[in-house]
Amino acid sequence: MAENGESSGPPRPSRGPAAAQGSAAAPAEPKIIKVTVKTPKEKEEFAVPENSSVQQFKEAISKRFKSQTDQLVLIFAGKILKDQDTLIQHGIHDGLTVHLVIKSQNRPQGQSTQPSNAAGTNATSASTPRSNSTPISTNSNPFGLGSLGGLAGLSSLGLSSTNFSELQSQMQQQLMASPEMMIQIMENPFVQSMLSNPDLMRQLIMANPQMQQLIQRNPEISHLLNNPDIMRQTLEIARNPAMMQEMMRNQDLALSNLESIPGGYNALRRMYTDIQEPMLNAAQEQFGGNPFASVGSSSSSGEGTQPSRTENRDPLPNPWAPPPATQSSATTSTTTSTGSGSGNSSSNATGNTVAAANYVASIFSTPGMQSLLQQITENPQLIQNMLSAPYMRSMMQSLSQNPDLAAQMQNPDTLSAMSNPRAMQALMQIQQGLQTLATEAPGLIPSFTPGVGAPGSTGSGGPTGPTVSSAAPSETTSPTSESGPNQQFIQQMVQALAGANAPQLPNPEVRFQQQLEQLNAMGFLNREANLQALIATGGDINAAIERLLGSQPS
Amino acid sequence: MAATTGSGVKVPQLEEGQKGVGDGTVSWGLEDDKDMTLTRWTGMIIGPPRTIYENRIYSLKIECGPKYPKAPPFVRFVTKINMNGINSSNGVVDPRAVSVPAKWQNSYSIKVVLQELRRRMMSKENMKLPQPPEGQCYSN
C-alpha cells in the first residue's frame, strides 16, 4: 500500500524530471533569437540560439566582421560580456542590441605572438622594432639609457596591455628631445629595415590619431599613404638626410617649372599649405622632419620675388574677381611668350589670361587635379611632358583668346563635367568627328554651328587661327542665347578645340604626308590609325609611334 | 513612492539601454537585473575615435538617488581614466565640474550623462591627456 502510494508518488516526480528532461530536450531545438550587433560604424543582425555562450556568439561575429574573436569585445547593458557567460545570463533576448568594439590594433597581438620573450619589457621592446632577431641587445644600443629607463618605467605599469600608440608617442617624445639619439636610431640598420617596409610604416602612421584625423580631412593623404611607391620614396628620404636634401632641391625645381602655368603656381602653393602644414605637425612626431617642410619656406621666398614683376593692372578690363598680384605677374611672363606683342593686345591678352588663370586655378582645385599635382611635383619630367603636349598648348592659346570660354569654364558644372573622364572622351570624339567632317564634307559643317563653319572654310595657316577664334566669340553669342548652358559649354569647347586645330584641319593628310610616309616605311600600315595618331600628337612622329604601339598590342 | 516615481523614468531608460542607443558608443543597464529599485546601474563608454581614449572601454557605476530624476545621479568611473572633472583617485565624477550633473534637468537621463562624458572625452582639453594603461580599475 505504501508502495502503492509510493509507486504512485514517484511517477509524478519522475514525470517531473521527465518533463524537465522534455524541456531540457527542447533546447535541442533552441529558440533562435535575433540580436543586433552594433559597432560605432556598422550594425548587423545575428540569429543565434538563445542558450549559446558568448564565445560562440563571438565566433559568429568574427566571421561576419572579419576579425578574430579575441579582438572582439561585447558590451550589453553596460557590462562587458565574458566568453564563458551565456547570452541568457545577461538577459539578452530577442530583438535587443549588443555593442561591439573591435580592437583594431595588432600591436598587442604582436606582443602576444612573441611568447619567447617572457618579460613584459622584452615583449614590448621587441614589438617596437618589429623584428625577430636579437631585439633586446640592439634596443639597448640606439635607444640609450634614457629611453630604456623610460621603457622600464613603463613596464612597471604592466606594459603588456599597453596601447601601442601610447608607447609610441612616449617614445617619440623622448626621441624628439635628443637629436643625437635620432641620428643613432636612423642609422641603426634595424630601424632602417623597419622603415623600409612600407606597409609597416603605413600602419604605424595610421595608428597615430592625429594622422587619422588628418586623413579624415584630406583623403589625398590616405591615397598618398596607400601608394607604396610614394611611401617607399618618402621612407628612403627620411632615412637618408642627403637624399632628403636632394629631394627638396627637386621639389624646388618642380615648383619653378610649375610657375609657368598661369595660376598653377598659386594653386600649388595653396594646396601645399593645406597638406603641408598638417603633415608637418603629424609627421614631425614620426620622423623629426618633413621632406615638404622646406617647400613652404621656398614657396614663400619665391613669393617674395614675384611682386617685383607685377604690372600695373588697374586699367585692365577685368570683369572677374581680380586674382592676386602674383598670378598676374606669372601670367604676364606667359603672355609675352605666347600672345602677340603689341601693347593693346597684350593688355587684353593679360586680362584674358588672367581669366584663364582663374579657370586653371579652379580646375586645379578639383581633388583629382590635386592628387595629380602632387604626383607631378614629385616627378618634374611629367610636367614637361604635359606642357609640351601640343593640344595643351593650343588649348591654352584658345583659352587666352576666348574670355567667354574661360568664363564658361569656371562654371562648377562644367568643371565637374571636365573631371569626368568619360565626358572628356565624348568631347574628344566630338572634336574628332568634327575634324573628319570638316575634311570630308565642309558643306555640312555650317549646319552644325556657324562658328565652326568659319574655320572649316577659311583655315589656311596659323594666323587665321586666332582671328577665327576671335570671330568665334562673336558668333557664339547668338547660339548661346538659344541653347541651354550645357550645350553652350559643349559648343564653345568644341569651337575652341576645333578652332585651335583648324589651321591643321584642311590638309591633315598633306601636312602629315611626310610623316605618313615615314610611318608606312616603318611598317605601320594602318593609314587611318597613323593619321589619327599624327593629328593627336600634332605631327610628332615619335609620339605618334608610341600611341600606335600602345594601341596595337591591345 | 519615490521608487515608483523614479521608476517611471527608469523603466524606459532600462529598455533603451537594452535596445542600444544611436551610435553604439554608450551602453548602460542595471547592475543587478533583479534590482527592483532600479537604482544601481552600470554604464559603458567606448572611447571616441581620434582621441587618446580611442578603442578603450570605460566602465562606470551610476547610482540614481531617491530624488532622481529631479536630482542628478552619482556617477563613478570604474576604469581608470585621466580627465578633467574626474577624481583621479577614485574615479568619481565631480558633479560641479561636469555640466550635465551640474545643470541637471528633469528630462536628463543616464543616457545623457554617458553621452556628455563621452563628449568631454572628445574636447580639446581632454582628448590628449595621457592615460593610464588600459584595463586598470580604481581600487574601491
Side-chain angles (χ1 to χ4, degrees):
Chain A
M1 261 226 239
E3 284 171 300
N4 281 345
E6 280 174 18
S7 63
S8 60
R12 251 181 267 121
S14 67
R15 246 183 283 131
Q21 275 174 8
S23 58
E29 357 142 354
K31 199 164 81 114
I32 303 266
I33 55 176
K34 286 206 208 52
V35 181
T36 312
V37 176
K38 220 192 256 202
T39 67
K41 292 183 199 134
E42 306 168 21
K43 192 166 90 162
E44 295 253 353
E45 248 195 38
F46 285 84
V48 285
E50 196 178 41
N51 61 347
S52 61
S53 69
V54 172
Q55 174 72 29
Q56 292 169 328
F57 193 33
K58 276 194 188 175
E59 272 163 27
I61 294 177
S62 72
K63 282 190 221 118
R64 197 85 76 88
F65 281 94
K66 299 198 184 35
S67 336
Q68 297 173 338
T69 50
D70 42 3
Q71 275 180 306
L72 304 177
V73 179
L74 287 170
I75 295 166
F76 179 72
K79 293 186 218 95
I80 296 185
L81 307 181
K82 301 202 194 0
D83 289 357
Q84 59 271 20
D85 298 338
T86 63
L87 297 181
I88 290 201
Q89 199 178 343
H90 283 281
I92 300 177
H93 301 298
D94 192 15
L96 294 184
T97 304
V98 175
H99 300 282
L100 171 70
V101 175
I102 304 179
K103 290 189 177 296
S104 54
Q105 293 138 12
N106 43 13
R107 300 302 178 281
Q109 290 181 355
Q111 292 174 0
S112 59
T113 54
Q114 293 182 359
S116 56
N117 299 322
T121 344
N122 293 343
T124 46
S125 53
S127 70
T128 315
R130 307 275 293 166
S131 172
N132 291 329
S133 57
T134 64
I136 306 164
S137 52
T138 35
N139 265 347
S140 50
N141 289 341
F143 292 159
L145 284 178
S147 56
L148 191 58
L151 281 175
L154 285 176
S155 76
S156 65
L157 292 174
L159 199 47
S160 51
S161 58
T162 301
N163 198 353
F164 179 78
S165 56
E166 221 176 57
L167 172 64
Q168 190 188 27
S169 55
Q170 288 187 349
M171 253 182 50
Q172 281 163 357
Q173 283 168 11
Q174 286 163 345
L175 285 183
M176 296 333 299
S178 152
E180 298 118 10
M181 213 188 294
M182 241 341 236
I183 296 177
Q184 269 185 337
I185 288 172
M186 284 304 184
E187 288 175 20
N188 185 9
F190 221 27
V191 174
Q192 286 197 352
S193 67
M194 166 175 90
L195 282 181
S196 58
N197 182 354
D199 282 326
L200 171 65
M201 284 321 289
R202 187 187 52 227
Q203 282 171 0
L204 271 179
I205 292 178
M206 299 286 248
N208 184 352
Q210 283 173 332
M211 277 310 279
Q212 285 173 354
Q213 207 175 10
L214 186 65
I215 285 171
Q216 295 271 338
R217 265 188 277 134
N218 264 340
E220 298 315 312
I221 296 201
S222 73
H223 289 163
L224 196 66
L225 285 176
N226 287 333
N227 184 349
D229 289 324
I230 293 186
M231 276 302 280
R232 213 167 281 134
Q233 211 178 13
T234 317
L235 292 177
E236 279 182 19
I237 292 162
R239 266 191 298 173
N240 191 346
M243 213 168 151
M244 204 189 285
Q245 286 179 359
E246 197 184 299
M247 181 71 177
M248 298 197 301
R249 259 176 282 149
N250 277 351
Q251 288 188 335
D252 290 350
L253 271 178
L255 273 186
S256 53
N257 278 345
L258 270 176
E259 269 181 35
S260 52
I261 299 183
Y265 178 74
N266 212 25
L268 186 62
R269 184 174 60 93
R270 248 184 290 131
M271 179 190 83
Y272 262 62
T273 319
D274 284 337
I275 300 194
Q276 157 228 326
E277 260 174 353
M279 268 207 82
L280 189 64
N281 294 339
Q284 250 183 0
E285 296 186 3
Q286 300 274 342
F287 298 133
N290 188 338
F292 304 121
S294 69
V295 168
S297 51
S298 74
S299 71
S300 52
S301 61
E303 282 282 277
T305 60
Q306 291 284 1
S308 58
R309 289 193 272 144
T310 312
E311 273 191 3
N312 185 8
R313 285 174 47 247
D314 289 345
L316 289 181
N318 202 356
W320 305 278
T326 55
Q327 248 187 354
S328 71
S329 60
T331 60
T332 319
S333 53
T334 330
T335 315
T336 50
S337 59
T338 57
S340 35
S342 63
N344 291 342
S345 51
S346 77
S347 59
N348 253 343
T350 316
N352 294 341
T353 326
V354 150
N358 268 340
Y359 146 67
V360 173
S362 46
I363 283 250
F364 276 168
S365 58
T366 62
M369 282 306 286
Q370 277 187 358
S371 62
L372 180 64
L373 274 176
Q374 265 186 350
Q375 297 202 347
I376 284 176
T377 55
E378 318 224 357
N379 187 357
Q381 192 69 31
L382 194 55
I383 309 168
Q384 305 221 351
N385 285 347
M386 194 170 86
L387 280 184
S388 58
Y391 32 91
M392 274 298 278
R393 213 177 274 149
S394 58
M395 185 127 152
M396 296 285 185
Q397 272 179 357
S398 62
L399 276 180
S400 60
Q401 288 142 5
N402 192 347
D404 288 333
L405 181 58
Q408 200 65 34
M409 290 291 191
Q410 286 179 2
N411 188 357
D413 291 333
T414 68
L415 278 182
S416 53
M418 289 277 290
S419 47
N420 181 357
R422 284 198 306 271
M424 285 308 288
Q425 273 183 13
L427 280 172
M428 287 303 290
Q429 285 178 356
I430 293 179
Q431 176 215 345
Q432 282 176 358
L434 280 171
Q435 281 177 10
T436 33
L437 263 182
T439 50
E440 311 285 348
L444 215 59
I445 297 284
S447 66
F448 267 38
T449 332
V452 177
S457 53
T458 51
S460 56
T464 59
T467 55
V468 159
S469 26
S470 53
S474 57
E475 314 226 20
T476 55
T477 48
S478 39
T480 302
S481 50
E482 294 159 9
S483 37
N486 281 343
Q487 287 175 332
Q488 260 182 45
F489 156 65
I490 292 183
Q491 279 175 355
Q492 287 180 345
M493 188 64 186
V494 155
Q495 281 158 22
L497 290 170
N501 287 331
Q504 308 159 4
L505 263 185
N507 298 321
E509 299 192 11
V510 171
R511 191 169 175 254
F512 296 139
Q513 186 65 28
Q514 196 194 8
Q515 286 98 331
L516 276 173
E517 282 174 5
Q518 283 182 351
L519 285 174
N520 267 344
M522 278 189 247
F524 295 109
L525 297 175
N526 186 350
R527 197 177 169 76
E528 279 305 311
N530 292 352
L531 198 57
Q532 297 245 338
L534 280 170
I535 292 177
T537 60
D540 180 5
I541 283 212
N542 289 334
I545 291 177
E546 278 180 37
R547 275 180 91 91
L548 290 169
L549 284 175
S551 60
Q552 267 183 9
S554 62
Chain B
M1 256 285 237
T4 44
T5 45
S7 69
V9 175
K10 290 180 210 158
V11 169
Q13 274 184 101
L14 177 61
E15 289 173 357
E16 208 182 353
Q18 290 184 335
K19 293 221 177 57
V21 74
D23 50 1
T25 47
V26 293
S27 170
W28 65 94
L30 279 176
E31 182 167 334
D32 184 358
D33 283 337
K34 300 187 195 56
D35 177 11
M36 284 299 128
T37 60
L38 300 178
T39 48
R40 299 179 73 87
W41 299 71
T42 58
M44 191 89 46
I45 299 178
I46 300 173
R50 295 187 294 281
T51 66
I52 196 118
Y53 311 95
E54 142 167 64
N55 263 353
R56 290 208 196 184
I57 301 168
Y58 290 95
S59 186
L60 301 91
K61 276 206 201 315
I62 301 157
E63 255 187 56
C64 298
K67 295 217 186 72
Y68 180 86
K70 293 204 190 66
F74 298 114
V75 185
R76 189 164 74 77
F77 271 86
V78 173
T79 320
K80 271 204 183 160
I81 186 173
N82 181 9
M83 195 161 92
N84 287 334
I86 301 188
N87 186 320
S88 51
S89 56
N90 59 6
V92 170
V93 173
D94 185 358
R96 291 156 307 187
V98 178
S99 59
V100 165
K103 303 194 191 122
W104 183 262
Q105 295 179 14
N106 288 8
S107 55
Y108 284 175
S109 64
I110 291 178
K111 167 174 106 169
V112 174
V113 173
L114 290 177
Q115 285 180 329
E116 166 65 17
L117 285 172
R118 185 169 189 272
R119 197 191 59 75
R120 299 191 100 236
M121 285 183 189
M122 298 201 283
S123 73
K124 283 252 160 27
E125 55 179 26
N126 285 324
M127 69 192 294
K128 293 195 188 152
L129 294 177
Q131 295 300 311
E134 195 172 350
Q136 286 199 345
C137 298
Y138 292 106
S139 49
N140 51 354

